[in-house]
Amino acid sequence: MDRKKIVHRLDTPFSAVEWPQISQEDQDAILELLCHLLSPLGQYRRTFVNPSKGKRKRKLVEQQGDAQTSPVPLVPEVAAYIDVGLSTISRNLQDLSAVAVSEKAEEAKGGEHDGRVSSGSKKAPYSIVFVARSGQSSAFNCHFPQMVAVASKSQSPEQKMRLVGFSKSCEDKLATALCIPRVSSIALRADAPQGKGLVDFVRKHVAPIEVAWLQEADSGKFLETNIEAVPTKIGSKKTKSS
């Protein structure tokens, strides 16, 4: 008979934040639409951006002069509406969260706000954040649901930022579409050119994130510490070898 003991551990009394539930069929459709939107950027990089071959090669090219270089066209317009990478997106979400909190404070004081992008944020806010969760530790992306929810607090229910977590492995497909080595997360800003179809589909099939503990914390109601009692098996005692 296995022996057990009770182990107590502390947990937050607030409600946990969950990722939006998206069917696999909808995830596949969203991935196809996203890759189609990103394809002009990948094509541009494959055609006009040369992979780095080190400082020596770069100096040699500079010494040869610009006589043989042909004019390079402008980067596709959609590039200004797309951010790639966990650090960049997390930093921008933090800035958007600060704007949302300041707007809420102004409203609480009775001030008026015109709903436009704050002067502290030069670019439009995100409309969708895509995260390739498969094969990635949760420590790298567990902050996204809360950050997206806070950053979109000042947006209308229809325009609220959406979070899409891909459960199947898709890093290689996204990296190929963008023509870069690795992709963990992508953010799409509002009013992106050629992005209306993707945004409309995501808003129809993905619900906005609701963080219940934010309302619970704002209510000012006292919540007791959540102490969990977890039954744990006691391992067999090791015999000392003589």
Side-chain angles (χ1 to χ4, degrees):
M1 182 177 178
D2 296 331
R3 297 194 309 167
K4 295 183 178 181
K5 65 178 181 179
I6 302 299
V7 176
H8 295 88
R9 64 185 184 189
L10 300 180
D11 197 2
T12 174
F14 298 110
S15 302
V17 182
E18 301 291 341
W19 285 73
Q21 297 296 321
I22 310 172
S23 68
Q24 191 58 57
E25 182 180 356
D26 289 341
Q27 288 187 39
D28 294 340
I30 292 170
L31 181 60
E32 290 298 325
L33 291 171
L34 177 59
C35 290
H36 179 73
L37 180 66
L38 300 175
S39 58
L41 290 176
Q43 184 62 36
Y44 179 88
R45 291 184 61 85
R46 276 186 286 269
T47 307
F48 301 106
V49 179
N50 295 322
S52 176
K53 296 182 179 180
K55 294 182 179 180
R56 183 177 299 179
K57 180 68 175 179
R58 184 166 63 251
K59 288 182 179 179
L60 180 61
V61 172
E62 292 174 354
Q63 291 173 0
Q64 292 176 351
D66 299 332
Q68 300 177 350
T69 59
S70 57
V72 178
L74 296 175
V75 179
E77 185 182 3
V78 71
Y81 294 83
I82 292 175
D83 288 333
V84 180
L86 184 146
S87 298
T88 300
I89 296 172
S90 298
R91 184 166 55 248
N92 289 330
L93 284 174
Q94 184 177 4
D95 294 339
L96 291 170
S97 299
V99 172
V101 171
S102 64
E103 290 176 359
K104 185 177 180 181
E106 289 178 6
E107 292 176 0
K109 293 178 181 178
E112 294 183 357
H113 193 273
D114 58 8
R116 294 176 297 180
V117 179
S118 172
S119 58
S121 178
K122 295 182 180 180
K123 294 184 178 181
Y126 292 144
S127 58
I128 313 172
V129 176
F130 306 92
V131 182
R133 299 178 63 193
S134 175
Q136 194 180 90
S137 171
S138 62
F140 290 100
N141 54 50
C142 63
H143 61 286
F144 276 120
Q146 298 186 64
M147 292 194 75
V148 167
V150 175
S152 60
K153 284 187 70 176
S154 61
Q155 296 175 330
S156 63
E158 297 78 13
Q159 304 295 325
K160 272 190 178 294
M161 195 183 309
R162 302 301 203 270
L163 177 64
V164 176
F166 295 113
S167 56
K168 286 175 62 176
S169 179
C170 61
E171 294 93 335
D172 293 341
K173 192 168 185 177
L174 293 173
T176 302
L178 282 170
C179 193
I180 57 178
R182 289 174 297 276
V183 176
S184 62
S185 50
I186 299 172
L188 179 67
R189 295 187 181 274
D191 302 324
Q194 309 301 323
K196 186 176 185 302
L198 172 60
V199 173
D200 290 345
F201 185 89
V202 171
R203 285 176 176 169
K204 182 179 179 181
H205 294 85
V206 181
I209 298 178
E210 298 294 338
V211 183
W213 69 263
L214 286 176
Q215 287 78 23
E216 294 169 359
D218 289 341
S219 67
K221 182 180 178 181
F222 173 75
L223 297 176
E224 295 182 354
T225 303
N226 185 14
I227 303 176
E228 296 183 347
V230 183
T232 306
K233 290 184 179 180
I234 301 177
S236 58
K237 189 175 181 181
K238 294 182 178 180
T239 58
K240 295 182 179 180
S241 56
S242 56

